Amino acid sequence: MQHKSKMAGADGDDSLYPIAVLIDELRNEDVQLRLNSIKKLSTIALALGVERTRTELLPFLTDTIYDEDEVLLALAEQLGNFTMLVGGPEYVHCLLPPLESLATVEETVVRDKAVESLRKISQEHSPVDLEVHFEPLVKRLASGDWFTSRTSACGLFSVCYPRVSSTVKAEIRQHFRTLCSDDTPMVRRAAASKLGEFAKVLELDYVKSDIISLFTALASDEQDSVRLLAVEACVSIATLLPQEDLETLVMPTLRQAAEDKSWRVRYMVADKFSELQKAVGPEITKNDLVPAFQNLLKDCEAEVRAAAANKVKEFCENLPEDSRETIIMTHILPCVKELVSDTNQHVKSALASVIMGLSTILGKDNTVEHLLPLFLAQLKDECPEVRLNIISNLDCVNEVIGIRQLSQSLLPAIVELAEDAKWRVRLAIIEYMPLLAGQLGVEFFDEKLNTLCMAWLIDHVYAIREAATCNLMKLVEKFGAEWAQNTIVPKVLGMANDPNYLHRMTTLFCINALSEVCGQDITTKQMLPVVLKMSNDQVANVRFNVAKSLQKIGPVLDSNALQTEVKPVLEKLDTDTDMDVKYFAQEAISGKYTTLSIFFLYEVASLGPLHLVILIHFSP
Amino acid sequence: TSILPSSPTTGFSVPSAEKVDGFPRRSMRRARQRRSHSSSQFRYQSSQVELTPLPLLKDAPVAELHNLFCKKLQQCCVLFDFLDCVADLKGKEIKRAALNELVESVATSRGVLIEPLYPEAIKMISVNIFRTLPPSENPEFDPEEDEPTLEASWPHLQLVYEFFLRFLESPDFQPSMAKRYVDQKFVLQLLELFDSEDPREREYLKTILHRVYGKLLGLRAYIRKQINNIFLRFIYETEHFNGVAELLEILGSIINGFALPLKSEHKQFLVRVLIPLHTAKSLSIFHAQLAYCVVQFMEKDATVTEYIIRGLLKYWPKTCTQKEVMFLGEIEEILDVIEPSQFIRVQEPLFKQITACISSPHFQVAERALYFWNNEYILSLIEENSQVILPLVFTTLYRVSKEHWNQTIVSLIYNVLKTFMEMNSKLFDDLTASYKVDKQNDSVL
């Protein structure tokens, strides 16, 4: 209350009243109100002006740091964008005290946000201010008692290092060194995760003298959670060093990481393999990374094998061209062959998601001779995910050997997935149908797959029927209206007489999806009569879907058909005994005359019937 | 927010069959669940040593005994593959028998543990138990719902743990000799094993760490600090560690032995570690042990009461009613031992929260809060301070008694109101009267 009267409104200035309320809410008991108010902090600051923001608002905020984490998070974020509100870069250092406190709280999310804001405003400091205000803050954090402030400090070194004098630089390097050997693993983890970033801003000599020893130490830390972060740093460090130094400075550590006793570290190596490969260059890749990669592909932990399997294509792609094929054929492919029959499904499915990519690298003959048997084996895998991953990447193979080679095995695999007991698997294969149809061509499709696509229309799961409808539309986009007229439209329309009303509704849904791609002629001559006839259906759901369909296909029809055929049917439905049928008939009537009102109807659809009624009255 | 991949399986590209719905693949998971797994023994000893049975310890002449004991320890350093349950059955049986003998010998005969055996014994223990725990079979392992994955090599591992325990408990055990081998590095590895999914292993570890803490005084501060680190990592980084309950159980007895006045290190542990532990998602698994530790602190030093209660109020669950019930349970345990002078310092914020719980639409929450009035000590505290507490809770009690959907709650509230009426009838009447006036004013407006 005191603050409120001091800061705003007490002198009877009415214009500040809303601000007084906001400030009052900063101290409200209800967290939500405090949160709302913090989120409008820039409004408060703007109203107070730069000077009072600096002298009154910021000290007040610095005092309230003991709040709920949610409020603190919002505050930490806001302060990062506050430079102009305190009077521009000249005064930006005023923001440091509250952010410094926020950078020491326990909750990681708050701390990280405070560090993010500090990094942001560090750029707005002049070099002098950086040394006078910012760097001392970093030092205070780096030598804080509790681990939280030291962790936060780790993220701030790299933003100030490039812009300070060489004496201060030396201090910063010293602080970073100290934190890398902190006795709290949390701090060592934070330091390890920033090692790469820090290395990037250091002079090359210091990278060699300082960073390498820190890197080596962190990479052999007693805790695997620290060691694995050093692997990430390895990528940045290797990129910075000249090729001739890599062997002595980086490789011993990397070799050790690839054979670490903890699977987490080996997992990290596998996960970062492509980046590592690029960073160390072709020669080291040939001599060191190839055997390391082979080991990872054969690792005793499935997690590691899966991470490595994911990288197979990228690794092969990035091998030096002169020896690529030999290395793949003699070293990588044998491991890949074993992974095809791995005991763990995640490993197999990781491999299946990239293995097809090898065909472009190896070319036609090798693909036919060596890869094709593997594809075929994976297409028959017991796990549907593996089969799906193969099918979803068929385009790569198609480019190299054409899909025909596979089609004999493909078909049974597709059929089996199409009839899988789990509807999610069926749904996934439907989504690949348009792609498959494009690759396999219209003849093969008509002969083998068309029946499947039609069968999904009467699946007992709605999501499958819906996806099947959408699939038909995409197929027509690929194969054209004429194809649709000869193959699918008759079948779809035939379902209008099905005894099951769900199947009759599917006819309507298909028409909704197909009318536009099929064009005016087919819609008017073939679809419209069926829809109109269904307006006499005994199930109300079918009848109101007729009204919806008419509205949907309206734009495709010519005005003659609308006037003479559609309008009378809608007017009849408008007098239906069922409330919903009436409602949708009215909606269609009001929507069908001009496209403009259709647009409006979509706009107001969320407002509910009352608003619609009003709109209908005012429509032309 | 975590800076490391706690469960690297999340790094997998999402399988396509899953992408479409986003449901956890419970059914698939169950289907492929294996009941046991091997430890992540990287680079299994490829050239397996063939074991040959040694003479029995009990038949050995005294002069030979130590030598034979040592040989058996060395024999037990050979590791076997337990996932292949028929591999090297003979070797496994020889090791099992040897371990049994070692356990028996160290437990019953005196004078066996001589100095040269210490490094050999600790080496055998280290080789067997220290290993990288494998990735969880089930990345979304829910300790309450799912069956834990059991350690496949347990037939040997159990005997090694048993040996270690007997070793520590032996009357011949000399801390001064052991401390050279059971050092900080050893303890750190021991603590990491508490993350094991196998509850049998954690049970052994708990007893063993407790003995180590009791006998090797030089390691105490280090052990406490490392447990701190494990908890902080659990709270703020990974939210995953299987042995929280076991570590808290050990701490419970450690706290009991703290000297007075409490060192600031211990207070810091309470405020910055134990209280924030209440925020964990998996609180239910270790809540009993946690509440025990908290109450231990209060019994040691009543001045920490206010920190504790305000801390709990700060982290009070907002949406999880199951946790709310646990918090209420802990508050009752705390109130059971609270000093009246401390009670006065926290009664206002505390009873505001209790009132909020009473008006919870979830009847278990309301019920748990109302049970406080069945506790005689709490009732006496309320009675002494009825001038403060009654006005805080009255309106809510009155309103909820009229509105709550659950009959049990309504009748519990009637009892509470009745108690208040008997406690302080004057105040009760005043509050009733002003409530009615307020109500009327409201309806006029």
Side-chain angles (χ1 to χ4, degrees):
Chain A
M1 291 299 158
Q2 249 178 346
H3 276 279
K4 171 188 153 190
S5 49
K6 206 174 101 198
M7 285 203 284
D11 46 4
D13 183 351
D14 284 346
S15 66
L16 284 182
Y17 179 70
I19 300 305
V21 171
L22 279 177
I23 293 173
D24 208 21
E25 282 183 358
L26 281 177
R27 333 189 84 220
N28 197 291
E29 248 182 59
D30 185 344
V31 186
Q32 196 53 48
L33 289 178
R34 291 206 300 278
L35 196 57
N36 292 343
S37 192
I38 283 283
K39 286 185 175 157
K40 289 183 193 128
L41 207 56
S42 53
T43 315
I44 301 179
L46 208 57
L48 288 173
V50 293
E51 194 174 332
R52 296 185 73 194
T53 301
R54 288 198 301 267
T55 54
E56 294 170 38
L57 184 62
L58 287 179
F60 166 73
L61 291 173
T62 314
D63 289 344
T64 55
I65 294 296
Y66 306 96
D67 202 337
E68 298 263 340
D69 294 331
E70 230 177 321
V71 179
L72 296 184
L73 176 66
L75 179 59
E77 187 170 8
Q78 292 276 315
L79 291 178
N81 303 315
F82 240 57
T83 311
M84 290 326 285
L85 297 166
V86 292
E90 204 181 326
Y91 295 99
V92 67
H93 59 85
C94 299
L95 298 172
L96 297 179
L99 282 171
E100 181 175 353
S101 318
L102 289 168
T104 63
V105 301
E106 327 281 327
E107 178 49 55
T108 327
V109 185
V110 177
R111 240 185 307 136
D112 288 350
K113 191 54 90 179
V115 170
E116 196 185 310
S117 289
L118 280 169
R119 286 167 71 111
K120 212 164 163 186
I121 64 168
S122 73
Q123 303 307 319
E124 282 149 358
H125 282 70
S126 68
V128 176
D129 280 350
L130 205 62
E131 281 195 24
V132 176
H133 300 285
F134 197 87
E135 204 270 338
L137 168 142
V138 179
K139 270 196 247 172
R140 280 195 300 278
L141 288 176
S143 43
D145 278 342
W146 190 240
F147 79 94
T148 51
S149 72
R150 302 201 299 279
T151 356
S152 293
C154 293
L156 297 173
F157 294 119
S158 64
V159 290
C160 49
Y161 189 85
R163 300 173 56 212
V164 293
S165 68
S166 55
T167 10
V168 178
K169 278 184 176 175
E171 283 173 36
I172 291 181
R173 287 196 305 273
Q174 179 53 45
H175 278 293
F176 192 79
R177 249 199 309 276
T178 316
L179 294 182
C180 283
S181 54
D182 198 280
D183 67 332
T184 317
M186 280 79 77
V187 178
R188 294 203 304 278
R189 279 196 286 275
S193 69
K194 301 292 177 195
L195 184 66
E197 174 189 298
F198 190 55
K200 280 185 193 156
V201 299
L202 247 60
E203 297 81 356
L204 186 59
D205 281 347
Y206 290 121
V207 173
K208 287 189 199 173
S209 60
D210 285 30
I211 297 288
I212 294 298
S213 64
L214 297 176
F215 167 61
T216 318
L218 291 168
S220 41
D221 196 275
E222 60 195 4
Q223 303 230 338
D224 60 358
S225 56
V226 179
R227 294 202 299 276
L228 66 88
L229 291 167
V231 175
E232 266 187 304
C234 185
V235 177
S236 326
I237 294 172
T239 321
L240 296 170
L241 292 173
Q243 190 69 34
E244 65 268 21
D245 289 328
L246 288 176
E247 180 53 45
T248 47
L249 298 180
V250 176
M251 288 317 290
T253 310
L254 181 56
R255 276 188 210 110
Q256 175 195 319
E259 304 206 325
D260 197 283
K261 67 181 195 309
S262 164
W263 62 269
R264 287 184 187 85
V265 179
R266 302 196 304 275
Y267 170 87
M268 202 63 167
V269 175
D271 195 46
K272 298 278 167 222
F273 217 80
S274 304
E275 288 94 326
L276 288 167
Q277 183 187 8
K278 278 179 203 144
V280 298
E283 275 313 302
I284 295 181
T285 297
K286 269 195 261 180
N287 301 332
D288 280 278
L289 294 196
V290 171
F293 195 58
Q294 284 175 293
N295 283 338
L296 293 170
L297 289 172
K298 291 186 220 151
D299 198 278
C300 60
E301 286 302 341
E303 249 80 358
V304 180
R305 292 199 302 278
N310 258 321
K311 303 289 170 190
V312 163
K313 181 194 157 205
E314 246 181 297
F315 181 74
C316 294
E317 228 166 29
N318 295 328
L319 285 169
E321 215 161 317
D322 55 350
S323 49
R324 185 188 293 156
E325 195 176 321
T326 333
I327 294 177
I328 299 177
M329 297 307 292
T330 50
H331 299 293
I332 308 296
L333 207 56
C335 303
V336 168
K337 277 182 186 158
E338 275 177 47
L339 291 183
V340 167
S341 47
D342 199 278
T343 48
N344 184 293
Q345 62 164 12
H346 290 301
V347 177
K348 288 187 291 187
S349 109
L351 182 69
S353 65
V354 298
I355 190 174
M356 310 291 268
L358 290 180
S359 45
T360 16
I361 305 171
L362 287 176
K364 189 171 175 182
D365 293 343
N366 280 329
T367 302
V368 173
E369 195 183 335
H370 298 285
L371 294 176
L372 202 55
L374 304 181
F375 301 158
L376 297 178
Q378 292 216 298
L379 268 179
K380 296 191 190 96
D381 198 276
E382 53 176 14
C383 164
E385 220 169 78
V386 176
R387 284 175 267 151
L388 275 174
N389 280 348
I390 290 288
I391 290 174
S392 62
N393 285 300
L394 279 175
D395 43 341
C396 322
V397 188
N398 197 17
E399 287 162 19
V400 183
I401 57 167
I403 212 158
R404 289 282 161 180
Q405 297 264 14
L406 272 176
S407 54
Q408 283 316 309
S409 311
L410 208 48
L411 195 65
I414 294 171
V415 172
E416 206 180 314
L417 287 167
E419 289 162 358
D420 197 283
K422 294 195 192 76
W423 67 267
R424 285 156 200 162
V425 175
R426 301 202 295 276
L427 187 57
I429 188 74
I430 294 178
E431 281 168 2
Y432 294 121
M433 256 320 139
L435 178 80
L436 282 170
Q439 311 267 329
L440 291 165
V442 68
E443 277 168 40
F444 186 90
F445 183 87
D446 280 346
E447 197 181 314
K448 315 278 187 190
L449 299 179
N450 198 6
T451 352
L452 282 180
C453 291
M454 300 316 287
W456 283 319
L457 288 174
I458 51 171
D459 196 283
H460 62 274
V461 175
Y462 176 74
I464 299 295
R465 299 198 297 274
E466 193 188 24
T469 312
C470 181
N471 173 44
L472 287 187
M473 184 182 78
K474 288 183 186 150
L475 289 174
V476 177
E477 280 170 359
K478 272 218 160 62
F479 294 152
E482 199 186 322
W483 172 82
Q485 190 173 10
N486 295 328
T487 50
I488 59 171
V489 172
K491 288 182 189 169
V492 165
L493 296 182
M495 283 163 57
N497 301 317
D498 197 289
N500 184 335
Y501 86 99
L502 291 171
H503 298 171
R504 299 202 294 281
M505 290 216 301
T506 307
T507 298
L508 291 171
F509 297 147
C510 287
I511 288 173
N512 294 348
L514 293 175
S515 65
E516 206 183 319
V517 279
C518 284
Q520 195 180 60
D521 196 46
I522 299 177
T523 309
T524 318
K525 291 201 181 122
Q526 299 189 18
M527 297 177 176
L528 184 61
V530 175
V531 179
L532 294 174
K533 197 173 147 228
M534 290 171 85
S535 67
N536 298 318
D537 200 288
Q538 53 184 348
V539 177
N541 296 44
V542 177
R543 293 201 301 278
F544 76 64
N545 270 300
V546 166
K548 281 166 124 179
S549 287
L550 288 173
Q551 185 182 351
K552 182 89 210 242
I553 67 174
V556 186
L557 300 171
D558 64 43
S559 57
N560 186 34
L562 281 175
Q563 278 302 325
T564 58
E565 301 183 64
V566 176
K567 200 178 163 208
V569 169
L570 282 176
E571 279 164 357
K572 183 188 74 190
L573 290 173
D574 192 19
T575 60
D576 200 284
T577 49
D578 187 276
M579 203 173 95
D580 294 318
V581 178
K582 261 188 187 169
Y583 168 76
F584 284 108
Q586 275 174 14
E587 196 179 333
I589 290 168
S590 63
K592 96 181 151 50
Y593 297 107
T594 65
T595 39
L596 191 66
S597 61
I598 289 173
F599 171 74
F600 273 119
L601 273 167
Y602 279 126
E603 286 283 286
V604 297
S606 57
L607 298 178
L610 183 64
H611 295 82
L612 282 174
V613 171
I614 296 169
L615 196 89
I616 289 160
H617 278 292
F618 287 94
S619 297
Chain B
T1 62
S2 130
I3 51 171
L4 52 138
S6 62
S7 155
T9 342
T10 51
F12 289 156
S13 57
V14 185
S16 29
E18 205 179 322
K19 244 181 277 175
V20 288
D21 61 69
F23 289 110
R25 28 193 176 119
R26 290 228 159 211
S27 51
M28 265 161 83
R29 222 173 64 192
R30 295 231 184 265
R32 67 184 169 87
Q33 202 166 47
R34 267 185 299 154
R35 283 298 307 277
S36 65
H37 61 196
S38 75
S39 312
S40 188
Q41 300 278 20
F42 187 51
R43 302 282 138 87
Y44 236 98
Q45 297 152 306
S46 45
S47 54
Q48 195 60 258
V49 197
E50 183 97 358
L51 293 190
T52 40
L54 295 164
L56 293 179
L57 281 173
K58 67 175 162 60
D59 300 339
V62 181
E64 279 294 303
L65 182 69
H66 288 124
N67 196 16
L68 187 59
F69 197 94
C70 213
K71 277 194 181 140
K72 297 221 174 210
L73 283 172
Q74 282 157 359
Q75 205 166 45
C76 292
C77 287
V78 177
L79 301 178
F80 291 90
D81 179 3
F82 271 87
L83 267 195
D84 182 353
C85 52
V86 289
D88 204 0
L89 284 175
K90 190 169 146 259
K92 283 177 186 165
E93 177 51 30
I94 292 171
K95 177 169 170 179
R96 196 195 60 80
L99 281 167
N100 257 330
E101 266 194 285
L102 291 170
V103 170
E104 166 91 21
S105 164
V106 87
T108 54
S109 35
R110 302 294 300 268
V112 180
L113 284 186
I114 56 163
E115 186 161 8
L117 287 183
Y118 280 73
E120 295 295 333
I122 297 300
K123 187 181 157 215
M124 188 279 282
I125 293 163
S126 305
V127 167
N128 278 282
I129 67 171
F130 294 153
R131 65 220 193 270
T132 307
L133 294 171
S136 177
E137 286 281 306
N138 166 359
E140 305 123 75
F141 176 67
D142 176 351
E144 277 188 299
E145 288 254 329
D146 301 323
E147 287 286 309
T149 318
L150 299 177
E151 175 57 53
S153 62
W154 191 243
H156 284 174
L157 204 55
Q158 180 192 6
L159 292 169
V160 176
Y161 277 121
E162 187 66 34
F163 171 78
F164 191 12
L165 190 59
R166 301 288 180 180
F167 174 73
L168 290 165
E169 286 175 346
S170 160
D172 292 340
F173 178 79
Q174 296 283 336
S176 55
M177 290 177 196
K179 73 179 181 192
R180 260 179 282 160
Y181 313 105
V182 182
D183 54 6
Q184 295 194 347
K185 189 161 184 268
F186 183 94
V187 165
L188 188 66
Q189 287 172 283
L190 196 66
L191 282 166
E192 275 172 10
L193 291 175
F194 276 81
D195 194 20
S196 168
E197 233 176 78
D198 192 329
R200 301 168 303 183
E201 179 166 21
R202 295 200 306 271
E203 191 61 29
Y204 264 110
L205 286 164
K206 184 180 74 187
T207 322
I208 285 169
L209 185 68
H210 194 245
R211 298 289 178 273
V212 171
Y213 191 89
K215 306 219 164 181
L216 299 167
L217 309 187
L219 285 172
R220 287 187 172 182
Y222 183 78
I223 292 176
R224 289 198 305 270
K225 195 166 83 186
Q226 294 309 324
I227 294 181
N228 253 339
N229 289 341
I230 289 176
F231 285 165
L232 287 167
R233 182 171 179 215
F234 169 75
I235 301 167
Y236 295 113
E237 290 182 6
T238 62
E239 287 200 38
H240 176 87
F241 192 82
N242 289 314
V244 176
E246 285 80 4
L247 291 176
L248 283 169
E249 214 175 312
I250 298 171
L251 283 165
S253 63
I254 292 179
I255 295 165
N256 211 344
F258 282 164
L260 282 171
L262 283 180
K263 284 199 235 164
S264 74
E265 175 214 325
H266 300 324
K267 280 193 191 163
Q268 196 174 54
F269 170 66
L270 170 70
V271 176
R272 305 190 109 154
V273 181
L274 282 189
I275 302 292
L277 264 179
H278 287 85
T279 59
K281 203 168 75 183
S282 51
L283 178 67
S284 58
I285 297 157
F286 55 83
H287 181 254
Q289 290 82 353
L290 180 58
Y292 178 79
C293 287
V294 167
V295 172
Q296 286 292 307
F297 258 107
M298 274 185 53
E299 293 209 87
K300 269 277 152 192
D301 179 357
T303 61
V304 299
T305 309
E306 197 174 342
Y307 288 125
I308 293 174
I309 297 212
R310 290 194 189 271
L312 288 179
L313 292 175
K314 180 179 172 192
Y315 295 129
W316 201 271
K318 295 194 170 55
T319 52
C320 180
T321 45
Q322 191 206 357
K323 267 173 95 172
E324 229 178 330
V325 173
M326 285 185 252
F327 269 56
L328 284 164
E330 186 169 348
I331 291 285
E332 180 162 2
E333 281 181 56
I334 289 169
L335 291 179
D336 256 332
V337 296
I338 199 168
E339 280 190 12
S341 60
Q342 295 293 331
F343 179 80
I344 292 168
R345 301 166 77 115
V346 293
Q347 57 181 350
E348 282 185 58
L350 180 61
F351 273 82
K352 267 185 200 160
Q353 183 58 60
I354 292 173
T355 312
C357 292
I358 290 173
S359 56
S360 167
H362 196 301
F363 82 98
Q364 283 173 336
V365 175
E367 185 181 54
R368 190 69 193 80
L370 288 163
Y371 279 162
F372 284 11
W373 274 264
N374 296 343
N375 181 313
E376 276 183 36
Y377 181 63
I378 297 178
L379 204 60
S380 74
L381 291 167
I382 294 176
E383 183 159 16
E384 279 166 43
N385 300 287
S386 62
Q387 283 292 350
V388 180
I389 293 172
L390 186 50
L392 278 175
V393 299
F394 182 81
T395 316
T396 304
L397 285 176
Y398 210 93
R399 184 176 53 79
V400 178
S401 74
K402 302 266 183 260
E403 287 172 5
H404 208 283
W405 62 272
N406 182 296
Q407 275 315 304
T408 319
I409 298 303
V410 172
S411 59
L412 279 169
I413 291 192
Y414 276 132
N415 286 337
V416 171
L417 284 170
K418 204 169 122 238
T419 323
F420 272 127
M421 213 184 325
E422 288 159 6
M423 227 177 243
N424 193 336
S425 59
K426 168 80 175 57
L427 181 59
F428 192 90
D429 291 343
D430 291 351
L431 288 167
T432 317
S434 70
Y435 178 82
K436 284 185 175 149
V437 172
D438 280 355
K439 193 105 200 244
Q440 240 158 19
N441 286 348
D442 278 356
S443 56
V444 169
L445 283 173

